[in-house]
Amino acid sequence: MKISLLEPIGVTKETIDELAEGFKEKGHEFVYYDTKTTDKEELKKRSAGCDIVMIANNPYPAEVVEAADRLKMLSVAFTGIDHIGTEKCKEKGVMICNAAGYSNQTVAELVLGMAIDALRNVVKANETVRNGGTSAGIGGREICGRTVGIIGLGRIGLMCAKLFLAFGAKVIAYNRSESEEAKALGIEYKPLEEVLKTSDIISLNLPLNNETKGFLDAEKIALMKPDAVFINCARGPIVDNAALAKALNTGKLGFACVDVFDMEPPLPADYPLLGAKNTLLTPHQAFISEESMLRRAKIVFDNVYAYIDGKPINVCK
């Protein structure tokens, strides 16, 4: 079989070669492209003749899937698969396997770090001292004793909850289903409206799909406390970011920490959140750390080896 990794996945070429060694030993062809592309024609060329394609979070649209006439399996170095032409994959019988779980710790740690910055003014303090200022007026608030609302208590949401609990916060959550592990930790499940109305810190941890696109609209944002901190390290299109910016600018919401947007950075100059008050913005980096990239690479290659051996793992579609 021909196996191609169509883009870099955050590890060295030496690591890629080491992980791919078993392909050659099994008599398969392996090709690695060390540059990213979103050009559909280039993606078609890179996928030509491939039985298995490995990608990360760049789009792999339906027309590319259609053109890949030998494609049988996609191994995705990412948790979400909304950037893939999944319906076309289903139509053609192409199996999709993801790398769920690789970034749980990494994302949760950034969520916590963002919360600390929002409450303790870390970035502002750095700017203040460099400009000859003092600590007057920037002491901030503690996480301990505050109510943290987790919207979407999956694996990443649960990891976020554990970290907030370690800081002494009370954690409440909204999720379609309830887990005994969460309840054992003292996490209380509440209706969405109550989570939005009563939380001092809100972390959004939902996946992006047809049900969650636009989920957090202006009406729901308006339910949040005026001094609440909202954190989105999930997916950008889940939130009406124009409404979020308006809430910040009008004092209806205290602070927003956002790592994901309606498109991948760089953002256009007129993007609403760029000009919004009281924001901490990062360029979709929550999933990236040395450790998570190594975990991801191993998972995405393990997916392929398992498929070749007839025992597929991490199957999404």
Side-chain angles (χ1 to χ4, degrees):
M1 288 194 289
K2 182 179 179 180
I3 305 163
S4 289
L5 174 55
L6 301 194
E7 59 183 303
I9 54 173
V11 296
T12 64
K13 175 65 163 53
E14 289 73 21
T15 299
I16 295 292
D17 289 340
E18 182 179 340
L19 290 170
E21 189 62 34
F23 297 153
K24 299 172 185 176
E25 292 174 357
K26 292 174 179 287
H28 303 297
E29 178 185 359
F30 177 70
V31 180
Y32 169 49
Y33 295 89
D34 61 2
T35 58
K36 286 181 175 286
T37 183
T38 57
D39 181 78
K40 293 176 183 178
E41 295 307 312
E42 177 62 22
L43 286 169
K44 289 177 185 178
K45 290 179 183 177
R46 295 185 182 190
S47 304
C50 292
D51 301 278
I52 298 172
V53 163
M54 306 160 76
I55 60 171
N57 62 325
N58 271 347
Y60 198 77
E63 66 181 84
V64 178
V65 177
E66 177 66 32
D69 54 358
R70 288 180 55 183
L71 186 63
K72 302 177 184 66
M73 186 261 198
L74 271 174
S75 186
V76 185
F78 209 57
T79 301
I81 57 171
D82 52 280
H83 58 301
I84 296 168
T86 53
E87 290 303 313
K88 181 58 67 174
C89 287
K90 182 178 180 180
E91 178 186 316
K92 294 187 63 178
V94 176
M95 182 180 292
I96 302 173
C97 302
N98 73 350
Y102 78 93
S103 64
N104 294 359
Q105 183 74 30
T106 301
V107 173
E109 287 187 9
L110 185 63
V111 169
L112 187 74
M114 284 178 154
I116 291 171
D117 177 73
L119 292 179
R120 296 299 305 277
N121 303 305
V122 178
V123 171
K124 182 179 179 181
N126 177 64
E127 294 171 352
T128 297
V129 75
R130 292 178 186 278
N131 290 317
T134 72
S135 62
I138 58 172
R141 298 171 287 167
E142 295 180 351
I143 291 174
C144 183
R146 304 206 112 72
T147 297
V148 176
I150 308 290
I151 300 176
L153 200 65
R155 285 179 285 188
I156 292 177
L158 186 59
M159 183 62 71
C160 291
K162 289 177 179 178
L163 295 183
F164 279 114
L165 287 168
F167 271 65
K170 174 185 177 182
V171 177
I172 60 176
Y174 167 76
N175 201 62
R176 288 189 303 180
S177 58
E178 300 183 4
S179 81
E180 293 306 314
E181 180 183 2
K183 291 178 181 178
L185 291 170
I187 299 169
E188 299 178 27
Y189 287 93
K190 302 287 186 181
L192 177 62
E193 183 173 327
E194 186 173 345
V195 171
L196 293 171
K197 284 183 174 181
T198 62
S199 296
D200 301 300
I201 302 166
I202 297 170
S203 177
L204 181 67
N205 297 100
L206 293 171
L208 177 62
N209 52 45
N210 291 334
E211 294 179 9
T212 62
K213 188 172 183 179
F215 176 81
L216 207 64
D217 56 16
E219 184 178 349
K220 292 187 179 74
I221 292 170
L223 296 175
M224 298 181 194
K225 297 166 70 171
D227 62 347
V229 174
F230 172 71
I231 303 171
N232 184 9
C233 287
R235 301 306 293 268
I238 298 173
V239 181
D240 181 339
N241 286 306
L244 180 63
K246 183 177 180 180
L248 291 161
N249 288 330
T250 57
K252 301 292 179 62
L253 181 64
F255 204 99
C257 306
V258 181
D259 182 60
V260 286
F261 310 91
D262 303 279
M263 73 285 291
E264 288 296 309
L267 301 174
D270 61 350
Y271 192 79
L273 287 173
L274 291 179
K277 298 176 183 178
N278 300 325
T279 55
L280 174 64
L281 310 180
T282 52
H284 198 183
Q285 69 179 65
F287 65 97
I288 302 170
S289 69
E290 291 181 12
E291 294 84 357
S292 68
M293 294 298 94
L294 285 171
R295 283 193 294 267
R296 181 175 78 159
K298 187 174 187 306
I299 292 170
V300 81
F301 274 83
D302 284 347
N303 286 347
V304 176
Y305 284 113
Y307 176 81
I308 291 171
D309 291 341
K311 301 175 182 178
I313 56 176
N314 299 316
V315 179
C316 297
K317 297 284 184 178

